[in-house]
Amino acid sequence: MTLAAKESRKRVFIRTYGCQMNVYDSDRMADVLRPLGYALSDSPEQADLVVLNTCHIREKASEKVYSELGRLRDVKVERRRDGADLMIAVAGCVAQAEGEEIARRQPAVDIVVGPQAYHRLPELLAEAERKAALRRAGKRLPGAGVLDTEFPPESKFDHLPAPAGVRAGSAFLSIQEGCDKFCTFCVVPYTRGAEYSRPAQSVLQEARALVAAGAIELTLLGQNVNAYHGEALDGSTWSLARLVRAIGEIDGLRRIRYTTSHPRDMDDDLIIAHGEVPQLMPYLHLPVQSGSDRILEAMNRGHGRDLFRRLVDRLRDRRPDLALSSDFIVGFPGESDADFDATMQLIDEVGFAAAFSFKYSRRPGTPGAALADQIPESVKAARLAALQALLARQQREFNLEKVGMTVPVLFAEPGRKPGQILGKSPWLQSVYVEGPASLIGSIAAVRLIEAHAVSLAGEIVPSLEAAA
Ligand code: SAH
Ligand code: SF4
Ligand code: F3S
């Protein structure tokens, strides 16, 4: 590329908040912007366009966006002083939930685009640039930026370019979106819309393209990924289990993961697949939220603690070494000490390898926000501390059990210290070793030698055949 061509390239900085589906969406937004001449930038200061791909799940997550927007406004003002500009776009779940409110709170925002509409970014950008140019020329325009928070009739998946590349051998693949379950604490059904499964063929095509581009691990994504029911070419409907088996046949693919699952959709076929599909990793993220039937009912989860325990037993029958992970919410409205004890007891009985836990956050528009008997912050904090202490103990024990084993590790990135590389075990533990950066993106056999709270130290074993 000539110097002039290089200089004429535009740069986009994308900051991603929230879940893995947003990580996937951010990559796809980069794919959409690339044909317009946008290359990725590492910082807002060097970018012509900044996209904040936002999360609305808890209050803290969505408030972060506004402080970041304040900082970006300052960059924009400075840029304009120099006769240039910075375009600011807000994408993702805050964009969907708060729409015009965003531009009202921060008029520097040029584009607001929801999670189902970002394939239209080129048109939105053209419109926003036109408006910005008029404003720079001193025109006063009604309204602020350009807004698209529709749930369009066309699926974004049919309008996205092929994924551009694979980082370190591992790729996310969204197969299902949205949610119809309406748990009473959760914003997702409102921000992502109704449940939708991509057709099996289109998923398989993308999976093959990702493997051809160097992926040896695929993580299938969906807010309710195991509710997947995609249409197949012959008109039949494929379950997640059926899809996993088909993806398992792609030559060169070594690992399959999927997230996030709902206990209600954990069917027999999927449980059996865990014992039969060699590429399906022995790790399952299965959020339970609470161990109290009363609270599970109030949350509208559609299952009780017994169903969850039975599921775990059946999964462990098929895959005894399965690492179980989960999500927990403490302090849902009406949660008594006895309810909380029931959660602690469930954790004790099940034993988790990892977990995410949160204080209940009151989200506007959800039924939970309107419930009486909201729990004081101090009680939530104390419960969360107790719960996290128990989960941390379990995670450490789980890690300790693996010490002495030789296991395949997929290396993803350099470690914190020079000469170290960091990867994932089959059970999704972080493992670091002394090793060459050339191993990043590949699987090597590692003997695990030391367990820490959230990681393990290991050493590379020369032959992969030695791996467990
Ligand atoms: N679809 C997944 C979870 C999506 S949100 C499922 O059904 O489990 C990820 C996690 O955020 C949830 O599992 C829940 O534990 C947490 N979460 C969602 N809404 C929350 C709220 N209002 N307050 C606190 N945590 C919340
Ligand atoms: Fe939210 Fe419940 Fe849907 Fe999960 S299943 S996304 S927690 S409403
Ligand atoms: Fe957040 Fe939206 Fe994901 S609210 S957790 S980014 S689906």
Side-chain angles (χ1 to χ4, degrees):
M1 200 187 296
T2 66
L3 193 63
K6 221 178 196 167
E7 276 168 2
S8 75
R9 287 201 76 166
K10 290 177 278 186
R11 301 205 156 259
V12 55
F13 173 75
I14 307 180
R15 193 186 292 285
T16 309
Y17 303 84
C19 64
Q20 285 138 324
M21 302 208 65
N22 263 12
V23 176
Y24 176 86
D25 287 342
S26 289
D27 282 348
R28 308 321 306 279
M29 283 193 262
D31 294 339
V32 170
L33 292 168
R34 200 167 294 113
L36 305 185
Y38 280 96
L40 283 178
S41 153
D42 299 329
S43 80
E45 283 72 23
Q46 273 141 34
D48 306 284
L49 166 67
V50 172
V51 180
L52 301 184
N53 193 13
T54 61
C55 173
H56 194 59
I57 202 83
R58 284 167 290 274
E59 193 180 350
K60 240 195 220 154
S62 52
E63 281 308 310
K64 252 191 235 161
V65 173
Y66 289 101
S67 44
E68 182 66 19
L69 284 176
R71 279 192 289 276
L72 291 175
R73 184 217 30 221
D74 296 345
V75 180
K76 186 177 186 124
V77 167
E78 214 167 285
R79 229 21 110 70
R80 285 204 172 153
R81 222 177 278 140
D82 301 338
D85 207 347
L86 171 71
M87 301 294 282
I88 303 175
V90 180
C93 290
V94 177
Q96 191 63 45
E98 300 189 0
E100 284 168 9
E101 167 78 15
I102 296 174
R104 237 191 333 267
R105 275 182 70 175
Q106 185 45 270
V109 171
D110 297 286
I111 297 172
V112 175
V113 59
Q116 308 306 352
Y118 64 76
H119 55 291
R120 299 174 176 173
L121 261 175
E123 292 96 286
L124 299 174
L125 202 53
E127 172 67 9
E129 273 165 357
R130 196 182 61 82
K131 277 189 160 183
L134 287 174
R135 279 212 180 86
R136 280 197 302 272
K139 281 250 176 356
R140 290 184 69 82
L141 298 177
V146 181
L147 176 87
D148 189 348
T149 51
E150 261 187 73
F151 291 115
E154 81 273 12
S155 159
K156 67 184 175 199
F157 295 110
D158 297 335
H159 295 267
L160 292 169
V166 168
R167 273 188 298 264
S170 186
F172 289 141
L173 171 44
S174 280
I175 65 166
Q176 180 276 338
E177 280 246 15
C179 179
D180 295 335
K181 293 206 167 60
F182 291 92
C183 300
T184 53
F185 51 81
C186 183
V187 295
V188 170
Y190 313 98
T191 62
R192 293 271 170 172
E195 195 182 297
Y196 164 78
S197 294
R198 290 176 68 182
Q201 198 53 32
S202 124
V203 172
L204 280 174
Q205 232 165 34
E206 190 169 326
R208 287 193 200 105
L210 288 165
V211 173
I216 53 175
E217 174 179 79
L218 289 179
T219 302
L220 310 179
L221 300 179
Q223 269 90 18
N224 277 270
V225 74
N226 58 344
Y228 179 82
H229 56 283
E231 198 185 321
L233 281 182
D234 61 3
S236 65
T237 301
W238 280 19
S239 65
L240 179 61
R242 179 80 185 75
L243 184 69
V244 162
R245 285 179 191 272
I247 291 177
E249 273 163 24
I250 301 175
D251 246 4
L253 182 63
R254 309 274 294 274
R255 292 180 164 195
I256 304 172
R257 302 181 183 277
Y258 62 91
T259 199
T260 293
S261 297
H262 194 292
R264 258 158 75 187
D265 297 314
M266 207 66 218
D267 63 23
D268 282 344
D269 286 352
L270 191 53
I271 294 173
I272 292 167
H274 270 279
E276 289 184 355
V277 180
Q279 295 91 337
L280 195 52
M281 289 291 101
Y283 173 93
L284 177 63
H285 183 62
L286 192 61
V288 63
Q289 316 297 355
S290 167
S292 154
D293 280 340
R294 215 173 62 83
I295 294 296
L296 287 169
E297 170 96 47
M299 288 176 163
N300 191 33
R301 289 289 290 177
H303 66 83
R305 63 181 283 143
D306 281 350
L307 180 131
F308 186 81
R309 292 200 40 193
R310 273 201 310 277
L311 275 178
V312 171
D313 288 346
R314 281 161 56 212
L315 279 156
R316 285 179 171 156
D317 273 352
R318 296 283 168 173
R319 187 77 213 219
D321 69 334
L322 187 79
L324 254 188
S325 152
S326 199
D327 290 344
F328 297 90
I329 295 177
V330 299
F332 185 79
E335 186 186 72
S336 66
D337 285 340
D339 292 320
F340 176 66
D341 289 347
T343 302
M344 294 291 275
Q345 199 193 350
L346 179 74
I347 296 172
D348 216 27
E349 288 165 8
V350 170
F352 291 92
F356 301 89
S357 46
F358 314 97
K359 289 190 274 188
Y360 170 70
S361 170
R362 202 172 177 176
R363 306 308 287 128
T366 60
L371 290 175
D373 209 3
Q374 298 284 328
I375 306 296
E377 276 306 304
S378 57
V379 175
K380 287 185 201 170
R383 286 180 187 165
L384 187 66
L387 180 126
Q388 288 185 335
L390 175 57
L391 288 165
R393 231 170 21 245
Q394 291 191 342
Q395 181 163 17
R396 200 188 182 88
E397 274 160 26
F398 185 84
N399 289 347
L400 261 174
E401 277 167 24
K402 305 291 183 214
V403 171
M405 292 176 73
T406 297
V407 307
V409 170
L410 169 52
F411 288 102
E413 56 189 330
R416 247 184 306 153
K417 294 191 191 142
Q420 267 182 1
I421 49 174
L422 190 67
K424 294 287 186 205
S425 77
W427 306 280
L428 209 64
Q429 297 151 301
S430 291
V431 177
Y432 62 89
V433 304
E434 298 280 322
S438 58
L439 278 180
I440 291 173
S442 61
I443 294 176
V446 169
R447 184 176 304 110
L448 301 173
I449 48 183
E450 205 181 343
H452 304 287
V454 293
S455 65
L456 287 137
E459 58 192 13
I460 291 173
V461 176
S463 151
L464 184 61
E465 278 73 52

Coordinates of all heavy atoms in Angstrom, one line a residue, residues 57-58 185-186 223-224 260-262 287 289 301 327-329 358-361 363, ligand 1:
I57 N -27.5 -5.1 31.1 CA -28.0 -6.1 32.0 C -28.1 -5.6 33.4 O -29.1 -6.0 34.1 CB -27.1 -7.4 31.9 CG1 -27.9 -8.6 32.3 CG2 -25.8 -7.3 32.6 CD1 -28.8 -9.2 31.3
R58 N -27.1 -4.9 33.9 CA -27.2 -4.3 35.3 C -27.0 -2.8 35.2 O -26.4 -2.4 34.2 CB -26.2 -5.0 36.2 CG -26.6 -6.4 36.6 CD -25.5 -7.2 37.2 NE -24.5 -7.5 36.3 CZ -24.5 -8.6 35.5 NH1 -25.5 -9.5 35.6 NH2 -23.5 -8.8 34.6
F185 N -36.3 -10.6 36.3 CA -35.3 -9.6 36.6 C -34.6 -9.1 35.3 O -33.8 -8.2 35.4 CB -34.2 -10.3 37.5 CG -33.7 -11.6 36.9 CD1 -32.7 -11.6 35.9 CD2 -34.2 -12.8 37.4 CE1 -32.3 -12.9 35.4 CE2 -33.8 -14.0 36.9 CZ -32.8 -14.0 35.9
C186 N -34.9 -9.6 34.1 CA -34.0 -9.6 33.0 C -34.5 -8.7 31.9 O -35.6 -8.7 31.5 CB -33.7 -11.0 32.5 SG -32.5 -11.1 31.2
Q223 N -28.5 -16.3 23.6 CA -28.9 -16.0 24.9 C -29.6 -17.2 25.6 O -29.6 -17.4 26.8 CB -30.0 -14.9 24.9 CG -29.3 -13.5 25.1 CD -29.0 -12.9 23.7 OE1 -29.5 -13.4 22.7 NE2 -28.1 -11.9 23.7
N224 N -30.2 -18.1 24.7 CA -30.7 -19.4 25.1 C -30.3 -20.4 24.1 O -31.1 -20.9 23.4 CB -32.2 -19.3 25.1 CG -32.8 -18.7 26.3 OD1 -33.1 -19.4 27.3 ND2 -33.0 -17.4 26.3
T260 N -25.2 -19.3 26.2 CA -25.6 -19.8 27.5 C -26.8 -20.6 27.5 O -27.7 -20.3 26.7 CB -25.9 -18.5 28.4 OG1 -24.7 -17.8 28.6 CG2 -26.4 -18.9 29.7
S261 N -26.8 -21.6 28.3 CA -28.0 -22.6 28.3 C -29.0 -22.3 29.4 O -28.6 -21.7 30.4 CB -27.4 -24.0 28.5 OG -26.6 -24.3 27.5
H262 N -30.2 -22.7 29.1 CA -31.2 -22.6 30.2 C -31.6 -24.0 30.6 O -31.7 -24.9 29.8 CB -32.4 -21.9 29.6 CG -33.4 -21.4 30.6 ND1 -34.1 -22.3 31.4 CD2 -33.7 -20.2 31.1 CE1 -34.9 -21.6 32.3 NE2 -34.6 -20.3 32.1
P287 N -26.9 -21.5 34.0 CA -27.3 -20.6 35.1 C -28.5 -21.2 35.8 O -29.5 -21.6 35.2 CB -27.7 -19.3 34.3 CG -26.9 -19.4 33.1 CD -26.9 -20.9 32.7
Q289 N -29.4 -19.3 39.0 CA -29.8 -18.1 39.7 C -30.1 -18.2 41.1 O -29.7 -17.3 41.9 CB -31.0 -17.4 39.0 CG -31.0 -17.4 37.4 CD -29.9 -16.6 36.8 OE1 -29.2 -16.0 37.5 NE2 -29.8 -16.7 35.5
R301 N -38.5 -18.6 36.4 CA -37.5 -19.3 35.7 C -38.1 -20.6 35.0 O -37.5 -21.2 34.2 CB -36.4 -19.7 36.7 CG -35.5 -18.6 37.1 CD -34.6 -18.1 35.9 NE -33.6 -19.1 35.6 CZ -32.7 -18.9 34.6 NH1 -32.8 -17.8 33.8 NH2 -31.8 -19.8 34.4
D327 N -24.7 -19.1 36.9 CA -24.9 -17.7 37.3 C -25.8 -17.7 38.5 O -26.8 -18.5 38.6 CB -25.6 -16.9 36.2 CG -24.8 -16.6 35.0 OD1 -23.5 -16.8 35.1 OD2 -25.3 -16.2 34.0
F328 N -25.5 -16.8 39.4 CA -26.4 -16.6 40.6 C -26.7 -15.1 40.8 O -25.9 -14.3 40.6 CB -25.6 -17.1 41.9 CG -25.3 -18.5 41.9 CD1 -24.1 -19.0 41.3 CD2 -26.2 -19.5 42.3 CE1 -23.8 -20.3 41.2 CE2 -25.9 -20.8 42.3 CZ -24.7 -21.3 41.7
I329 N -28.0 -14.9 41.3 CA -28.4 -13.6 41.7 C -28.7 -13.6 43.2 O -29.5 -14.5 43.6 CB -29.6 -13.1 40.9 CG1 -29.2 -12.9 39.4 CG2 -30.1 -11.8 41.4 CD1 -30.4 -12.6 38.5
F358 N -24.0 -12.1 41.1 CA -24.4 -10.7 41.0 C -25.4 -10.3 42.1 O -26.2 -11.2 42.5 CB -25.0 -10.4 39.7 CG -24.3 -11.0 38.5 CD1 -24.8 -12.2 37.9 CD2 -23.2 -10.4 38.0 CE1 -24.1 -12.8 36.9 CE2 -22.6 -10.9 36.9 CZ -23.0 -12.1 36.3
K359 N -25.3 -9.1 42.5 CA -26.4 -8.5 43.4 C -27.5 -8.2 42.4 O -27.3 -7.7 41.3 CB -25.9 -7.3 44.1 CG -24.9 -7.5 45.1 CD -24.7 -6.2 46.0 CE -23.6 -5.4 45.3 NZ -23.2 -4.2 46.1
Y360 N -28.7 -8.5 42.8 CA -29.9 -8.1 42.0 C -29.8 -6.6 41.7 O -29.6 -5.8 42.6 CB -31.2 -8.5 42.7 CG -32.4 -7.9 42.0 CD1 -32.8 -8.4 40.8 CD2 -33.1 -6.9 42.6 CE1 -33.9 -7.9 40.1 CE2 -34.2 -6.3 41.9 CZ -34.6 -6.8 40.7 OH -35.6 -6.3 40.0
S361 N -30.0 -6.3 40.4 CA -30.0 -4.9 40.0 C -31.4 -4.6 39.4 O -31.9 -5.4 38.5 CB -28.9 -4.7 38.9 OG -29.0 -3.5 38.3
R363 N -34.0 -3.3 37.2 CA -34.0 -2.8 35.8 C -35.3 -2.2 35.4 O -36.3 -2.9 35.5 CB -33.6 -3.9 34.9 CG -32.3 -4.6 35.2 CD -31.1 -3.7 35.4 NE -30.6 -3.0 34.2 CZ -30.4 -1.7 34.1 NH1 -30.7 -0.9 35.0 NH2 -29.9 -1.2 32.9
Ligands
SAH1 N1 -29.7 -16.1 29.1 C1 -29.0 -16.4 30.3 C2 -28.4 -15.2 31.0 C3 -28.4 -13.9 30.4 S1 -27.9 -12.6 31.4 C4 -29.9 -17.3 31.2 O1 -31.0 -17.4 31.0 O2 -29.3 -17.7 32.2 C5 -26.4 -13.2 32.3 C6 -26.7 -13.2 33.8 O3 -26.8 -11.9 34.3 C7 -27.9 -13.9 34.2 O4 -27.7 -15.3 34.2 C8 -28.1 -13.4 35.6 O5 -27.4 -14.1 36.6 C9 -27.5 -12.0 35.5 N2 -28.5 -10.9 35.5 C10 -29.5 -10.7 34.6 N3 -30.3 -9.7 35.0 C11 -29.8 -9.3 36.2 C12 -30.3 -8.3 37.1 N4 -31.3 -7.5 36.9 N5 -29.6 -8.1 38.3 C13 -28.5 -8.9 38.5 N6 -28.1 -9.9 37.7 C14 -28.7 -10.1 36.5

